[in-house]
Amino acid sequence: MLRFSFKGGHVQSIIWLTCHPHTLDNRKMTALLIICFCLILGSLGNPQFPEQEKDPKFWNAWAQRTLKNALTLQELNKNKAKNLILFLGDGMGIPTVTAARILKGQLNGQSGEETQLEMDKFPFVSLSKTYNTNAQVPDSAGTATAYLCGVKANEGTLGVSAAAVRSQCNTTQGNEVTSILKWAKDAGKSVGIVTTTRVNHATPSAAYAHCVDRDWYSDNEMPVEALQAGCKDIARQLFENIPNIDVIMGGGRKYMFPKNMSDVEYPNILKHSGTRKDGRNLVQEWVDRMKDKKNHYVWNKTQLLSLNPNNVDYLLGLFEPGDMMYDLERNTESDPSLTEMVDVAIKILKKNPSGFYLLVEGGRIDHGHHEGKAKQALHEAVEMDRAIGRAGLLTSDHETLTIVTADHSHVFSFGGYTPRGNTIFGLAPMLSDVDQKPFTSILYGNGPGYKVINGARENVSAVDYKGNNYQAQAAVPLNAETHGGEDVAVFAKGPLAHLLHGVHEQNYIPHVMAYAACIGEYREHCMSPSGSAGLRPAFSIVAVILSAARLLC
């Protein structure tokens, strides 16, 4: 029997190896010793936790500061929301939020666990029940209809009620439901959509489309019967259903151009060429329609960042033929980050004195998880958190209601009794007591990471488990990992954010936003019987200071 005892980050780990000489040859013994040595080195490399954390005064003082801040929330923000922002982390379940928090800290040289995400700083947090009307574990289309249109719907359908049936075109008419983006536009606000997926992908599509199949990206993906019955593809609806959406940014360029038309960025690469069978050039049609307005179409970062937002009223930015690149793989010279897109979008939208509504999707968190690539997914989540921080700097909580949530979760987890500061992509500090092999802290319940070599689980010490595209081990083999069915978090700040509390149905979210902004079905409650506003308008800090100065003078 061999015993290895070591300490790392003040966490003691003990590995016991029971070896029977008549069954374990020298090669196997050598392999086990190498694994143990790697585990020891990994633990020794973990950062020590701060010395101050040994003192109870540290924790008591921290808790007391938090309590003091919480007590200030007793004076609720009941202002009328001029601006509305919804950040949607696609697939960003609570385990993803926690892991992204640790990653953010570790990218800044900390152990990670004590780090605060921007969304962590929001004063109100609740839970959202994500099921679709016909699905216990939902998809992104039915959920988008819930948190954008205010009604739950069937999986795979966009902007239609549960009376509509997926892929059945003749169930569309009469079952359309409108979104908060339209309510805001009808109220005179500027509106925008920013996503890292295709702009006609599930999440953004529910803001403007009424479609019984989320996969009808262009007419090329639609069955002939649906086209003959008069159903429209999603890309077409983007430009026709709600004319003059002020800001649209993301991927999905190929769905806007005639079939086989060469892409501007990837010429002569057929898979990136246009897909439209009707021969329409939707981008050119948009440019022509907006020619008398301050409009710009851009397809790369240089063009985007060269714009002066003060001289732009309408912006269409399509930066990839399909989804945008993962942030880890993004060409930082030619492709804008989510933060950069959000920065430009808000600067354009906030010029409207009536305010704005902005939908921001960190859409590729979901894609990373589906591919079993946790590193890609978590870096996408960290980037979305940067964008949340940037939005906070450009707006005021006095007049802007900001909500951060997810549409659904994934079967993603991390565990294994890892010590403080263990790299989030690292190994658990022990071997399996069943197959005597190491395992990563991050694992999936199912997905493409399931691998069997010579009848046994793959030995992760033989692969680059910290690589960008490493597929974490999964319990059940699937080509694509699945969504999870648990509740997701809803973070809120700004006017009437306190209405998001406890556990709610997902479709409650746009009702709160509309109520706070007095739009859609919630316009009347803002007017008292005397005709004055029931909700008080928000005053900026500058306005308050100026008013006080006038009184003093």
Side-chain angles (χ1 to χ4, degrees):
M1 183 176 290
L2 297 177
R3 183 186 184 195
F4 296 88
S5 178
F6 54 91
K7 292 184 179 181
H10 293 278
V11 177
Q12 186 171 17
S13 302
I14 299 176
I15 298 176
W16 292 80
L17 296 178
T18 303
C19 306
H20 301 281
H22 60 282
T23 60
L24 193 65
D25 60 26
N26 288 335
R27 285 178 299 174
K28 290 181 179 179
M29 174 65 78
T30 301
L32 284 172
L33 288 172
I34 291 172
I35 292 168
C36 293
F37 182 66
C38 291
L39 288 170
I40 292 169
L41 286 179
S43 180
L44 290 174
N46 291 330
Q48 302 267 331
F49 67 81
E51 188 69 21
Q52 61 187 357
E53 292 186 12
K54 296 178 181 178
D55 187 348
K57 292 179 181 178
F58 168 80
W59 297 106
N60 290 332
W62 192 348
Q64 287 161 8
R65 288 194 303 273
T66 304
L67 178 60
K68 184 177 180 180
N69 290 335
L71 289 170
T72 65
L73 297 176
Q74 292 181 100
E75 185 176 341
L76 300 174
N77 182 347
K78 296 182 180 180
N79 295 333
K80 176 182 175 181
K82 176 182 177 182
N83 308 313
L84 302 169
I85 304 176
L86 177 63
F87 280 93
L88 192 286
D90 199 315
M92 191 181 70
I94 292 175
T96 299
V97 173
T98 308
R101 178 188 303 130
I102 293 172
L103 173 59
K104 177 182 177 180
Q106 292 180 349
L107 290 173
N108 291 326
Q110 302 166 326
S111 63
E113 299 83 1
E114 71 290 341
T115 301
Q116 268 196 314
L117 292 168
E118 292 298 326
M119 66 187 89
D120 292 339
K121 301 172 186 177
F122 285 29
F124 298 98
V125 182
S126 56
L127 293 176
S128 169
K129 297 160 67 177
T130 65
Y131 67 92
N132 296 149
T133 46
N134 65 341
Q136 186 178 75
V137 178
D139 93 310
S140 295
T143 52
T145 302
Y147 61 75
L148 291 174
C149 302
V151 300
K152 290 227 171 192
N154 293 326
E155 61 88 25
T157 65
L158 297 159
V160 290
S161 71
V165 181
R166 183 170 188 174
S167 301
Q168 293 188 19
C169 174
N170 62 0
T171 66
T172 306
Q173 191 170 359
N175 294 319
E176 299 93 341
V177 291
T178 57
S179 77
I180 188 169
L181 183 140
K182 186 177 191 315
W183 310 339
K185 190 69 175 176
D186 290 345
K189 295 183 183 296
S190 294
V191 296
I193 296 170
V194 175
T195 180
T196 53
T197 66
R198 288 153 276 182
V199 294
N200 51 346
H201 206 255
T203 295
S205 295
Y208 57 81
H210 310 291
C211 190
V212 291
D213 198 313
R214 58 175 288 176
D215 295 328
W216 291 355
Y217 299 117
S218 73
D219 60 347
N220 182 64
E221 289 76 38
M222 294 178 66
V224 174
E225 303 78 36
L227 290 169
Q228 291 175 341
C231 278
K232 298 179 181 180
D233 64 87
I234 298 170
R236 179 180 169 188
Q237 293 189 55
L238 170 61
F239 297 101
E240 295 182 358
N241 286 7
I242 307 177
N244 304 338
I245 294 176
D246 302 79
V247 173
I248 302 168
M249 281 192 276
R253 201 162 52 219
K254 66 181 180 180
Y255 304 105
M256 315 300 168
F257 293 99
K259 193 170 183 64
N260 296 327
M261 180 175 173
S262 190
D263 184 73
V264 64
E265 187 176 8
Y266 307 100
N268 304 317
I269 300 179
L270 189 60
K271 68 177 182 178
H272 295 318
S273 297
T275 66
R276 302 198 63 81
K277 290 181 176 179
D278 59 11
R280 292 178 64 178
N281 183 328
L282 297 179
V283 171
Q284 189 59 51
E285 290 179 19
W286 180 88
V287 170
D288 293 341
R289 190 174 78 244
M290 298 291 192
K291 63 183 178 181
D292 296 327
K293 301 172 182 176
K294 296 178 180 178
N295 74 301
H296 290 268
Y297 166 64
V298 297
W299 60 267
N300 63 52
K301 177 177 175 176
T302 301
Q303 293 173 340
L304 176 67
L305 298 188
S306 67
L307 296 175
N308 180 346
N310 292 323
N311 298 326
V312 180
D313 290 337
Y314 297 95
L315 174 62
L316 174 62
L318 300 174
F319 303 104
E320 285 291 333
D323 300 316
M324 295 185 68
M325 303 294 286
Y326 282 123
D327 197 61
L328 279 176
E329 298 174 353
R330 177 174 61 89
N331 183 329
T332 57
E333 297 298 319
S334 61
D335 298 329
S337 67
L338 183 60
T339 301
E340 290 165 338
M341 290 192 291
V342 166
D343 180 87
V344 174
I346 292 177
K347 287 176 179 176
I348 293 172
L349 297 173
K350 69 187 295 187
K351 295 183 300 179
N352 186 337
S354 297
F356 66 84
Y357 171 86
L358 176 61
L359 169 65
V360 181
E361 183 196 20
R364 303 222 64 195
I365 301 169
D366 177 72
H367 295 174
H369 281 321
H370 278 309
E371 295 176 2
K373 298 174 181 177
K375 190 166 186 177
Q376 298 284 11
L378 296 184
H379 275 269
E380 292 295 306
V382 170
E383 172 56 25
M384 192 181 86
D385 197 64
R386 290 191 194 101
I388 294 168
R390 184 59 186 155
L393 293 174
L394 293 171
T395 57
S396 165
D397 292 351
H398 293 284
E399 62 179 11
T400 304
L401 173 60
T402 304
I403 294 174
V404 179
T405 189
D407 47 357
H408 54 75
S409 186
H410 276 267
V411 291
F412 161 88
S413 66
F414 69 99
Y417 302 113
T418 47
R420 178 78 175 271
N422 198 75
T423 170
I424 192 63
F425 304 114
L427 298 175
M430 65 189 77
L431 301 180
S432 165
D433 57 7
V434 175
D435 65 9
Q436 285 76 50
K437 292 179 180 177
F439 60 96
T440 54
S441 173
I442 287 175
L443 298 167
Y444 286 95
N446 57 50
Y450 177 92
K451 291 182 176 65
V452 174
I453 297 177
N454 296 324
R457 181 172 68 91
E458 181 181 50
N459 190 331
V460 295
S461 65
V463 299
D464 181 14
Y465 55 82
K466 293 183 180 179
N468 291 353
N469 292 305
Y470 170 71
Q471 293 177 309
Q473 292 187 336
V476 175
L478 289 175
N479 287 326
E481 177 264 4
T482 71
H483 296 169
E486 73 269 24
D487 298 348
V488 297
V490 184
F491 305 85
K493 68 174 182 175
L496 300 188
H498 57 277
L499 297 180
L500 287 158
H501 62 94
V503 181
H504 299 289
E505 296 289 350
Q506 194 169 46
N507 66 294
Y508 174 65
I509 293 171
H511 289 270
V512 171
M513 300 185 82
Y515 185 89
C518 304
I519 62 175
E521 296 181 358
Y522 298 100
R523 285 172 291 198
E524 292 184 5
H525 85 93
C526 291
M527 302 301 293
S528 69
S530 64
S532 60
L535 286 177
R536 64 180 185 269
F539 290 97
S540 69
I541 294 173
V542 173
V544 172
I545 292 173
L546 289 174
S547 298
R550 290 192 191 99
L551 290 172
L552 290 172
C553 296

